[in-house]
Amino acid sequence: MIIDWGYFIQYKIHLLFGGNLDGVLTPPSSAYEAMVNKAFGPNYTAFAPEIIRASNERQLYIWWVFVAEIAIFCVVYVISGRKSATIHNPNDEVQVFSIYHRAIIWLNVVFMITLIITGFNITWGLRSEGGLIPFLLRGTHEMAGLFWFPVWLLMSIIAFKDSKMLFKNSLLKKIVLPGKYKPMKRIIYFFFVLMGAGLLVSGAIIWYLHPDAYTNAHFIQFKRLLLYIHFGSSVLIMFFLMDFVYSSLVAVEGNLKGLITGKYPREYLEQLSPDILEDIENKKGKVA
């Protein structure tokens, strides 16, 4: 990701505390510099390599990033194998996820897969060569992002397991997923919330903001900033989601069935997720 990091940081500070979107951090020293700022936006080299050169390079090399990530997971799988539980009484099941939980989880999965596929259509725009299918995928990306917002928000709420320590005896505590976060899963959760917010906010503004001949100079640098944030957020959220999918579904046997039915054998939870079983039993004890 090619960018002038000094300007990137200064521009955001200037934006937050100055409220000016044009990105002019210092007054122009000449009429020519003022004209360039109006026509192309200030400090063109700060963002332009990211928007043009890095965008083109990603279309060539980003495949290898995912190949490398998948290779790492394959090596880990060969070394560590899969965790599995010994089940003697499969009929003794515990309800872990309600219909409400499963609806949010699977809607989140559907929307994220849609956003990834349609987003890649935009990333490889130079190679799709236009046409009806890329046009429809582009429109689908924007609409999917719009509908993903409430799903992302609800997913962020129900996955906020730390709320059990922060908000006692609240409604939030009742709808949050059972169990406790291990450090790595907590990091994944925070990245999902923060990078999801970055994607949604930047994507919504990019979609809404349409510069014209009068507003182009005012918005052009701001849109470059948003494009950078949008792609940067997508890269980070995808990496951590791949890690989460591997650790939750591939590396642990039986999780997928539980996400579909909402139920897990008690022995499964005792051996692989005792924190979830303890949380559920504590809730039942308080109700009783």
Side-chain angles (χ1 to χ4, degrees), residues 47 137 199 281:
F47 287 99
L137 288 173
L199 281 170
E281 290 181 342

mmCIF file of all heavy atoms in Angstrom, residues 47 137 199 281:
data_model
loop_
_atom_site.group_PDB
_atom_site.id
_atom_site.type_symbol
_atom_site.label_atom_id
_atom_site.label_comp_id
_atom_site.label_asym_id
_atom_site.label_seq_id
_atom_site.Cartn_x
_atom_site.Cartn_y
_atom_site.Cartn_z
ATOM 1 N N PHE A 47 -1.636 10.471 -2.462
ATOM 2 C CA PHE A 47 -2.615 9.404 -2.614
ATOM 3 C C PHE A 47 -2.600 8.777 -4.005
ATOM 4 O O PHE A 47 -2.982 7.619 -4.153
ATOM 5 C CB PHE A 47 -4.036 9.933 -2.348
ATOM 6 C CG PHE A 47 -4.323 10.198 -0.911
ATOM 7 C CD1 PHE A 47 -4.249 11.481 -0.409
ATOM 8 C CD2 PHE A 47 -4.648 9.183 -0.046
ATOM 9 C CE1 PHE A 47 -4.510 11.745 0.918
ATOM 10 C CE2 PHE A 47 -4.911 9.435 1.289
ATOM 11 C CZ PHE A 47 -4.838 10.725 1.775
ATOM 12 N N LEU A 137 -22.544 -6.583 -10.896
ATOM 13 C CA LEU A 137 -21.787 -6.873 -9.677
ATOM 14 C C LEU A 137 -21.448 -5.598 -8.922
ATOM 15 O O LEU A 137 -21.477 -5.569 -7.690
ATOM 16 C CB LEU A 137 -20.509 -7.634 -10.023
ATOM 17 C CG LEU A 137 -20.682 -9.087 -10.471
ATOM 18 C CD1 LEU A 137 -19.361 -9.667 -10.941
ATOM 19 C CD2 LEU A 137 -21.257 -9.940 -9.344
ATOM 20 N N LEU A 199 -15.198 0.155 6.593
ATOM 21 C CA LEU A 199 -15.765 -0.202 5.291
ATOM 22 C C LEU A 199 -17.109 0.481 5.065
ATOM 23 O O LEU A 199 -17.356 1.058 3.993
ATOM 24 C CB LEU A 199 -15.945 -1.720 5.203
ATOM 25 C CG LEU A 199 -14.704 -2.550 4.905
ATOM 26 C CD1 LEU A 199 -15.001 -4.023 5.094
ATOM 27 C CD2 LEU A 199 -14.221 -2.291 3.487
ATOM 28 N N GLU A 281 -25.031 -22.699 31.754
ATOM 29 C CA GLU A 281 -25.528 -23.268 33.008
ATOM 30 C C GLU A 281 -25.680 -22.195 34.080
ATOM 31 O O GLU A 281 -26.605 -22.262 34.908
ATOM 32 C CB GLU A 281 -24.593 -24.386 33.461
ATOM 33 C CG GLU A 281 -24.683 -25.618 32.570
ATOM 34 C CD GLU A 281 -23.759 -26.729 33.045
ATOM 35 O OE1 GLU A 281 -22.829 -26.438 33.829
ATOM 36 O OE2 GLU A 281 -23.966 -27.883 32.623
#
